[in-house]
Amino acid sequence: MTSYRITLLPGDGIGPEITAVTRQLLDAVASRHGFSLTYDEQPVGGAAIDATGSPLPENTLNACRQADAVLLAAIGSPQYDSLPREQRPETGLLALRAGLGLFANLRPVKTIPALIDASTLRPEVISGVDLLVVRELTGGIYFGTPKGRIATETGERAFNTMVYATEEVDRIARVGFELAQQRRGELCSVDKANVLDVSQLWRERVDRLAPEFADVRVSHLYVDNAAMQLVRAPRQFDVLLTGNLFGDILSDEAAMLTGSIGMLPSASLGASGPGLFEPVHGSAPDIAGQDKANPMAMVLSAAMMLRIGLRQEAAATALEQAVDAVLAAGYRTGDLMAEGCTLLGCRAMGDQLLRQLES
Ligand code: IPM
Ligand code: MG
C-alpha cells in the first residue's frame, strides 16, 4: 500500500484542536482510498519558542524537508508580541517558507452557496466568485535587504526594501500563467507600477512572458484599484498574480468574499521538495482550547495537500464534498452561525464531517 509521510505542525492557539480533527479525517479518507499516512508532529511558532527558544527549531525544518508534504495549522499568540523579531512566531513561519523554497502561494477563493449570507457583502456581488490569488512568497519586502532600524539625532529611522529580480518575477509569473491555462485563461497581474520601480520590472517581465502563453489573456491593475475591484465586482477575476506584500493584503480582503476567513485553504509550493499546506486564518488565541474553532479551512487545506502534494485527487474531492454536505445540512461553527442552523463545536463538527465521509 502506498504510504506518505506528513510532517504535521499544530502550532499555537486553536492549532492543536483543528489538527486533531483534520488528522482523524485524513486517516478515514486514506483508508477508504487505499493509501496510508504517517505523521511526524513537530513544534513551530510559539509552541516551539516555549520548547526550544526558537520559533523554527532545526529539527522541525529537517523533518519538513524529509516529508512528502507538510500540513500546518496556525501560529502566533499575543504573549510573544513583545519578543525580539527573531523570536517571534511569525519569524518561524517566514523561515519555514524560505527554508523549503516555497515561492508560490496559492489561495483559492470560491463562494460557498450555503454561506452566501455569512459575508458582509451583498449576495448578488459575491455569488459565483471563483478566483485564485497567486502570491510570491519568498521575496519582495518581506525578505529584502537592507532592512532595520538606526538611531538618528532626533529619533530613529526604520526601513525595509521591496526588491524583485528578473528570475523571481519570471518563476512566479509562470506559475500564474500555467494555473490560468488550467482555469478560465485570465491572468490579472497586480502591482504599483505607477510609483514603484520594482513594480515596473514586475510588469515588464509579465508582459515579456505573455507570448509564451498565447491562450491566456493578461491584464494589469494597480494594487489600489485591485483592492477596490475585489469588493466592487469580484467575479471579473480568475487568477490574480502579485508580490508578497500585496498578496498578503489582497488575500485577506478576498477571504471576506466567501463569508468567513475560517473556510480558506492555501498551498505553498517550491520548484521541488514538499509543499506546505495551511489554512489562511490565524491561531485565534481568543477562542483557543474552548472547542469553538472552525476546523474546515484546515480540512480543506488537507484536501489541497492530497490533490497537489500527494496526487490523490479522489480523496481530496471526498474531503471537499464532506465539507459541502455538512454545510448544506445546516451545521455551523460559531464563526458561521446563522438563524435556523445547528451550532457545533470543533470536535462535533469533526464528527459530522466524518459521518459524511463514511456515508
Ligand atoms: C499570511 C500571514 C503571514 C504573512 C504572517 C503570519 C507572517 O499573514 O500567511 O498571510 O504575512 O505572510
Ligand atoms: Mg496574511
Side-chain angles (χ1 to χ4, degrees):
M1 184 160 63
T2 313
S3 178
Y4 302 100
R5 285 162 308 167
I6 309 301
T7 295
L8 206 51
L9 309 175
D12 306 322
I14 58 170
E17 300 161 60
I18 61 175
T19 301
V21 164
T22 304
R23 182 170 167 165
Q24 205 185 0
L25 288 162
L26 273 172
D27 284 335
V29 85
S31 79
R32 288 174 78 84
H33 288 86
F35 61 95
S36 71
L37 301 167
T38 58
Y39 306 94
D40 181 5
E41 212 170 292
Q42 296 285 339
V44 69
I49 296 172
D50 293 345
T52 71
S54 156
L56 181 66
E58 199 60 37
N59 274 342
T60 297
L61 181 58
N62 285 334
C64 291
R65 288 197 170 115
Q66 281 153 27
D68 293 311
V70 181
L71 185 59
L72 167 70
I75 55 138
S77 171
Q79 74 194 96
Y80 307 103
D81 281 356
S82 54
L83 291 176
R85 184 156 305 286
E86 1 26 287
Q87 285 168 38
R88 292 188 49 161
E90 291 81 2
T91 305
L93 181 58
L94 298 183
L96 182 61
R97 291 170 177 171
L100 296 176
L102 306 172
F103 69 87
N105 182 219
L106 317 186
R107 296 186 165 179
V109 176
K110 196 170 170 181
T111 314
I112 300 170
L115 295 183
I116 201 131
D117 293 316
S119 175
T120 52
L121 296 169
R122 287 208 304 270
E124 64 268 29
V125 174
I126 58 170
S127 79
V129 167
D130 180 1
L131 63 87
L132 175 67
V133 178
V134 176
R135 169 189 177 194
E136 200 289 327
L137 202 60
T138 52
I141 197 166
Y142 273 55
F143 292 92
T145 51
K147 63 170 188 169
R149 298 168 64 146
I150 35 179
T152 65
E153 271 168 29
T154 46
E156 267 187 294
R157 286 180 66 231
F159 47 94
N160 292 88
T161 302
M162 192 185 278
V163 54
Y164 276 113
T166 322
E167 313 78 58
E168 285 179 292
V169 181
D170 287 7
R171 69 178 180 177
I172 190 68
R174 282 183 193 284
V175 171
F177 276 110
E178 281 161 16
L179 288 165
Q181 283 178 322
Q182 295 162 31
R183 295 170 49 99
R184 298 193 299 279
E186 309 216 17
L187 180 78
C188 177
S189 174
V190 175
D191 62 40
K192 189 70 186 174
N194 51 344
V195 176
L196 303 176
D197 293 325
V198 60
S199 285
Q200 223 168 338
L201 174 66
W202 179 284
R203 192 175 280 226
E204 283 166 24
R205 294 310 305 178
V206 171
D207 281 335
R208 179 77 70 95
L209 288 176
E212 285 182 41
F213 303 89
D215 49 344
V216 176
R217 281 176 303 284
V218 181
S219 60
H220 301 275
L221 282 182
Y222 298 135
V223 63
D224 49 349
N225 189 14
M228 179 176 71
Q229 296 300 332
L230 262 178
V231 288
R232 194 188 73 83
R235 269 191 302 274
Q236 71 185 285
F237 295 114
D238 181 13
V239 175
L240 271 169
L241 168 70
T242 192
N244 208 340
L245 180 63
F246 299 158
D248 177 48
I249 298 165
L250 294 179
S251 62
D252 264 30
E253 190 191 6
M256 271 326 286
L257 303 172
T258 63
S260 167
I261 198 166
M263 295 303 299
L264 283 191
S266 77
S268 303
L269 309 172
S272 61
L276 169 71
F277 301 84
E278 59 174 311
V280 171
H281 65 68
S283 56
D286 52 321
I287 56 163
Q290 298 170 38
D291 194 35
K292 287 183 179 164
N294 176 358
M296 288 185 279
M298 186 162 183
V299 172
L300 294 172
S301 300
M304 280 189 102
M305 175 182 87
L306 292 173
R307 175 174 295 117
I308 301 173
L310 309 181
R311 309 215 173 272
Q312 290 287 349
E313 173 69 31
T317 305
L319 275 187
E320 289 164 353
Q321 284 173 347
V323 169
D324 284 344
V326 159
L327 290 172
Y331 295 111
R332 299 286 187 273
T333 42
D335 56 322
L336 304 172
M337 189 52 191
E339 221 182 290
C341 293
T342 311
L343 180 66
L344 297 182
C346 183
R347 278 198 301 271
M349 182 56 92
D351 293 342
Q352 286 302 331
L353 289 165
L354 204 56
R355 268 191 45 198
Q356 282 301 334
L357 260 189
E358 286 167 351
S359 69

